[in-house]
Structure formats: C-alpha cells, structure tokens
Amino acid sequence: MKKAFLSFLFFLFIIISSNAQASKSNLYKGTIDGKIAVTFFIKTEENPCTADLLYTAMYRYDKSGSWIQLDITQNTKNENQFALVEHGFTGLMILKKDETTFSGLWISSDSKKQLKVELKEAKMTKKETESYEAKMEKVNYENNDC
C-alpha cells in the first residue's frame, strides 16, 4: 500500500511538473532617442492561478550602473502591446513587440518628453541569465523591502 501511494505521488508530481510553464528570460539591447544606449532584461512566467503570463523587468542606461525596475501591463486586446511604468513613475514606455524586437515610445512622467525606443533581442549565456536574474531580485528587494 505504501509503495502504491508513493508511486501515485511520484506520478502526480511528474504530471504537475510537465504542465508547469518554465520561466523565460530575455535580454534586449537598443536605444532611446536613437542615441542613448540601453539594456533591458525581461522575465516571463506563467501565473500559477490564472495561467496568464506575468512579466518582471528592469532596464538601465548603459552609461549608468543603476537599474530601473519596470511594472509591466500587457494589453488584453492586443498581446503584442505593453505599458512599462518605471518604479516611482519617473517615466513610462508604450512598446509593441515583434518576434525579436520592441519598439515604441518612452514618455516622461510630466509627458513633456516623448522619445523613440528601439530594442533588439540579444543572446545570453546561462551564467549571464543567472546574473541578470540575481540583479533583478536585488533591485526588487531594494525597491520593495519594508
């Protein structure tokens, strides 16, 4: 009986594991205003409750060491459109995703500046992915710790 129960639990674990969506991380490099080099890191995971996709992201100006956390909302009517709000609402981006690119606008929080954003997916090694994920965890902790 004990072996049957353990076998059932193992089988159940295999089924649940195979149905779970693994997270996916992507790196994008590009420019804002055609001249300001930026790096974006975006992680996509499946919401375990709704099966919707959850996005976490950060970006930095390449001449700066500081990362800016982004809160992302995906357009429910057009899955390729996103609003990315900078932590502290210092600015926001409205971007459209194509296969390997994002393009759109960065808008200052007072809406007086609107700059073109162009991003292209870049390759990452496993070590680089782990490094970016650790940095994003640190940025999130710094912004949201009590």
Side-chain angles (χ1 to χ4, degrees):
M1 181 70 175
K2 187 175 181 180
K3 284 184 181 179
F5 180 71
L6 289 174
S7 295
F8 173 74
L9 286 177
F10 179 74
F11 179 73
L12 186 61
F13 175 76
I14 297 292
I15 290 174
I16 291 170
S17 296
S18 67
N19 288 335
Q21 167 91 15
S23 66
K24 182 179 177 186
S25 298
N26 297 88
L27 183 70
Y28 294 85
K29 293 195 174 261
T31 60
I32 294 178
D33 199 26
K35 56 190 170 211
I36 304 167
V38 293
T39 300
F40 273 70
F41 180 74
I42 300 172
K43 186 172 181 179
T44 308
E45 298 175 284
E46 188 176 278
N47 183 327
C49 297
T50 65
D52 293 337
L53 295 178
L54 297 173
Y55 300 93
T56 51
M58 64 182 183
Y59 85 105
R60 72 179 175 102
Y61 298 98
D62 288 354
K63 291 186 177 182
S64 168
S66 300
W67 287 93
I68 301 168
Q69 187 174 13
L70 297 165
D71 294 319
I72 302 177
T73 302
Q74 184 178 25
N75 185 335
T76 56
K77 294 179 183 173
N78 183 342
E79 293 178 352
N80 293 327
Q81 292 179 332
F82 298 86
L84 301 90
V85 180
E86 296 175 357
H87 182 78
F89 192 60
T90 53
L92 77 113
M93 290 176 235
I94 299 174
L95 302 178
K96 180 181 178 188
K97 184 175 184 341
D98 291 321
E99 288 195 28
T100 59
T101 64
F102 277 100
S103 60
L105 291 174
W106 175 87
I107 304 168
S108 63
S109 59
D110 64 4
S111 73
K112 292 182 179 180
K113 281 188 183 177
Q114 295 188 12
L115 306 173
K116 185 176 180 180
V117 177
E118 295 289 334
L119 304 168
K120 186 173 186 178
E121 191 171 359
K123 301 275 186 213
M124 283 187 299
T125 64
K126 183 176 181 174
K127 186 176 180 180
E128 288 172 321
T129 301
E130 291 169 356
S131 175
Y132 282 114
E133 287 177 351
K135 175 56 81 174
M136 188 157 55
E137 183 72 27
K138 183 179 181 209
V139 168
N140 184 52
Y141 177 80
E142 290 169 352
N143 288 335
N144 298 301
D145 186 42
C146 300

